Amino acid sequence: MSKKAKTAYVCTLCGADYPRWGGQCSSCGEWNCIQEVRLAAVSDKHGQRAVGYAGGQSELKRLSDVDLLKAERVLTGIGELDRVLGGGIVSGSVVLIGGAPGAGKSTLLLQAIAHIAERGLAVLYVSGEESLQQIAERAHRLKLPVINIMMLAETSVQRICDVLDSIKTEAKAQIVVIDSIQVMHTQDAESAPGSVSQVRESASYLTQYAKKNQVSMFMVGHVTKDQSLAGPMTLSHIVDTQIILSSTDDARYRVLRADKNRFGSIGELGFFAMDSGGLKEVKNPSAMFLNRAEKLSSGSVVTVLWEGTRPLLVEIQALVTDCQYGNPRRLAVGFDQNRLAMLLAVLSRHGNIATAQDEIYANVVGGIKVSETSSDLAIVIGVVSSLKNKIIPHDMLFFGEIGLGGEIRPVANGYARLQDAAKHGFKTAVIPKGNAPKKAIDGLKVFPVSTLMDALDVLAEI
Ligand code: TYD
Ligand code: MG
């Protein structure tokens, strides 16, 4: 077997590769970040190459003749995690879980595999960061059932695969946790452990192993300040699913979301609370984000968002103040700044309320990022409430998209949103006419509106 090594040039920041060395990475624009990386060209004893997938034989096939893989799923027993994964762990899939140090990635995975192991499946936790004693202590403190969890302190991906091969016969490990991928290294790459190319090749090596042996893998990845995982594009195209665990403004809570999911939707959010007993599921996230002040002030208004497959009540706050000098500032936190500018223009033209001379700040409480348009109406109402110093009753909510003509457009899942509002004690809802419920909802008075003017009229009467 000839052992001819190939050479590639990889950007250490973003992971882009090039056929030859250059001073600047044309992908991320940084200078002096391209490094030579030697790739092993030969297969090792796991039948794998360091880079690239072990593709099958190339053979033409009709799409209709391709056997459908029955995606078998294993539930982790942690409902919020299963939800974000798209209904449990798909066997043979690789999930990257990212998050800042201290977010609770190790805790979440330890809890998940303990539940899985309790049901008799073989699981392996590979720790490259914490000692086995530390993990044992944590498991003990969280009172987790540990009897069936296999542990391994190792950072070489080849040795991890050797161990996995050796235990395959009696109790084949079906779920493997790699904590974390940043400390893993492969013998095939010559760059320093921890470098982007090492991380990428280790991830790719483990991914091939997982696919070939139908092992499901979780890889932990620490995110940097700009929320990228060891260089933005490097790992997300290798893995099947990428989920991020992040803190909300209230440090006690954690939000889990999928950035990429080959086996489910990415709109889904999972909510947890971190306390002395580890991460606990929050089954009723609306209550957690709607922890409002005792005494409400003007500018505060509630809307109901749609996150994945369920409604979520959130508070939006707006603050309008006189501009002392210079250009008035407009600041949107938690939603698109341009959307705020557009809504203010519509308010001026179709609501006859000019704000051009005012400074305007708008914030979605709780660190939630709003990407849908159903919060338009609540944002505008918040601005008007602050401008006119008019307090909105605590049991009133608004949702609806606002068009450039001042029309209020219906949004998806209107009925379910209203039901959730009623469940949380809301008494009045101002919503698009197109979302007016055909069947009355107990305890909820609905004001369907078709224009922004109509909505402002409802506001004037309270
Ligand atoms: P950890 O899972 O180690 O985070 P990561 O692996 O993402 O770096 O979580 C560590 C944090 O969680 C740490 O700040 C302490 C806190 N924590 C609790 O509050 N309660 C607990 O029961 C546990 C295990 C951790
Ligand atoms: Mg950790």
Side-chain angles (χ1 to χ4, degrees):
M1 205 181 336
S2 83
K3 208 174 165 113
K4 191 161 172 286
K6 270 168 77 182
T7 300
Y9 295 88
V10 179
C11 169
T12 51
L13 297 172
C14 74
D17 39 330
Y18 299 93
R20 62 188 67 81
W21 191 84
Q24 187 188 20
C25 170
S26 57
S27 172
C28 67
E30 288 299 320
W31 290 89
N32 292 329
C33 53
I34 297 179
Q35 255 183 19
E36 182 179 343
V37 174
R38 297 176 77 74
L39 313 174
V42 290
S43 302
D44 67 6
K45 71 175 184 310
H46 295 292
Q48 296 183 182
R49 292 175 43 165
V51 171
Y53 297 102
Q57 284 142 356
S58 61
E59 179 191 333
L60 271 181
K61 254 191 184 177
R62 269 180 225 284
L63 186 52
S64 56
D65 295 340
V66 178
D67 295 335
L68 290 182
L69 259 184
K70 215 174 98 250
E72 274 180 47
R73 290 186 186 257
V74 176
L75 292 180
T76 62
I78 300 179
E80 297 291 295
L81 176 60
D82 288 335
R83 168 198 289 280
V84 174
L85 291 175
I89 309 168
V90 174
S91 85
S93 73
V94 179
V95 178
L96 180 67
I97 172 166
K105 303 175 294 294
S106 308
T107 309
L108 179 63
L109 292 178
L110 190 62
Q111 287 179 232
I113 60 164
H115 285 122
I116 296 170
E118 205 180 13
R119 298 202 306 267
L121 290 178
V123 297
L124 172 69
Y125 190 108
V126 182
S127 177
E129 291 191 354
E130 290 168 295
S131 69
L132 299 189
Q133 284 78 13
Q134 279 172 310
I135 298 168
E137 265 166 37
R138 174 184 296 160
H140 181 72
R141 202 153 39 79
L142 301 180
K143 302 195 174 61
L144 294 174
V146 290
I147 186 121
N148 286 325
I149 304 178
M150 289 179 285
M151 298 295 299
L152 179 68
E154 183 56 76
T155 57
S156 152
V157 294
Q158 278 86 4
R159 281 205 293 273
I160 292 171
C161 292
D162 285 347
V163 171
L164 279 170
D165 276 346
S166 71
I167 57 174
K168 236 156 78 180
T169 42
E170 343 80 81
K172 182 178 164 200
Q174 283 149 313
I175 316 269
V176 178
V177 171
I178 307 287
D179 190 358
S180 68
I181 191 65
Q182 265 109 346
V183 297
M184 294 297 147
H185 66 93
T186 158
Q187 289 144 14
D188 296 322
E190 287 177 3
S191 49
S195 70
V196 173
S197 53
Q198 273 287 1
V199 171
R200 188 165 76 150
E201 279 166 45
S202 303
S204 153
Y205 192 97
L206 289 168
T207 301
Q208 287 173 55
Y209 185 89
K211 303 267 164 223
K212 220 151 124 204
N213 297 283
Q214 283 293 298
V215 173
S216 309
M217 241 180 231
F218 281 99
M219 297 179 189
V220 172
H222 298 297
V223 293
T224 51
K225 272 201 221 81
D226 60 349
Q227 295 286 305
S228 58
L229 282 149
M233 313 169 307
T234 44
L235 295 184
S236 54
H237 67 270
I238 295 175
V239 300
D240 297 310
T241 300
Q242 178 172 322
I243 58 182
I244 306 279
L245 185 66
S246 52
S247 302
T248 61
D249 287 359
D250 180 341
R252 217 159 67 82
Y253 295 114
R254 303 286 192 275
V255 181
L256 191 66
R257 72 186 146 80
D259 265 5
K260 160 184 176 173
N261 195 350
R262 286 191 182 139
F263 305 110
S265 87
I266 53 167
E268 225 40 271
L269 295 184
F271 298 95
F272 298 91
M274 175 69 99
D275 65 16
S276 57
L279 282 168
K280 300 260 165 63
E281 289 176 68
V282 176
K283 291 265 169 56
N284 184 1
S286 283
M288 124 192 182
F289 286 103
L290 260 198
N291 198 356
R292 301 179 84 190
E294 289 272 291
K295 199 171 155 296
L296 291 179
S297 51
S298 63
S300 157
V301 54
V302 173
T303 191
V304 43
L305 302 174
W306 195 258
E307 290 292 351
T309 54
R310 62 180 166 180
L312 182 66
L313 290 159
V314 295
E315 179 184 355
I316 290 179
Q317 292 179 330
L319 180 66
V320 181
T321 61
D322 284 343
C323 176
Q324 300 299 334
Y325 42 77
N327 287 335
R329 277 182 60 133
R330 268 79 211 278
L331 191 70
V333 181
F335 66 101
D336 184 15
Q337 187 95 8
N338 294 327
R339 191 104 203 143
L340 178 62
M342 191 195 93
L343 293 173
L344 294 175
V346 176
L347 179 64
S348 154
R349 175 72 194 272
H350 298 284
N352 292 327
I353 296 177
T355 54
Q357 306 305 321
D358 299 306
E359 296 220 320
I360 297 180
Y361 303 89
N363 174 37
V364 184
V365 177
I368 283 281
K369 300 267 174 291
V370 177
S371 52
E372 50 160 1
T373 52
S374 69
S375 56
D376 286 357
L377 184 57
I379 295 168
V380 169
I381 294 293
V383 168
V384 176
S385 156
S386 176
L387 189 72
K388 302 204 182 287
N389 201 14
K390 181 163 190 160
I391 295 174
I392 300 196
H394 72 279
D395 54 4
M396 184 171 195
L397 73 89
F398 295 79
F399 67 80
E401 176 178 335
I402 299 182
L404 285 181
E407 75 279 18
I408 309 287
R409 297 164 168 272
V411 297
N413 306 305
Y415 195 74
R417 292 185 204 234
L418 290 172
Q419 278 180 317
D420 193 54
K423 202 174 82 193
H424 286 91
F426 281 81
K427 300 269 187 296
T428 329
V430 182
I431 62 161
K433 202 165 220 153
N435 285 125
K438 297 198 179 59
K439 221 166 56 210
I441 295 174
D442 257 0
L444 188 71
K445 189 160 184 237
V446 174
F447 289 94
V449 293
S450 48
T451 64
L452 179 57
M453 229 23 189
D454 292 350
L456 294 175
D457 286 346
V458 175
L459 188 66
E461 278 163 28
I462 54 173

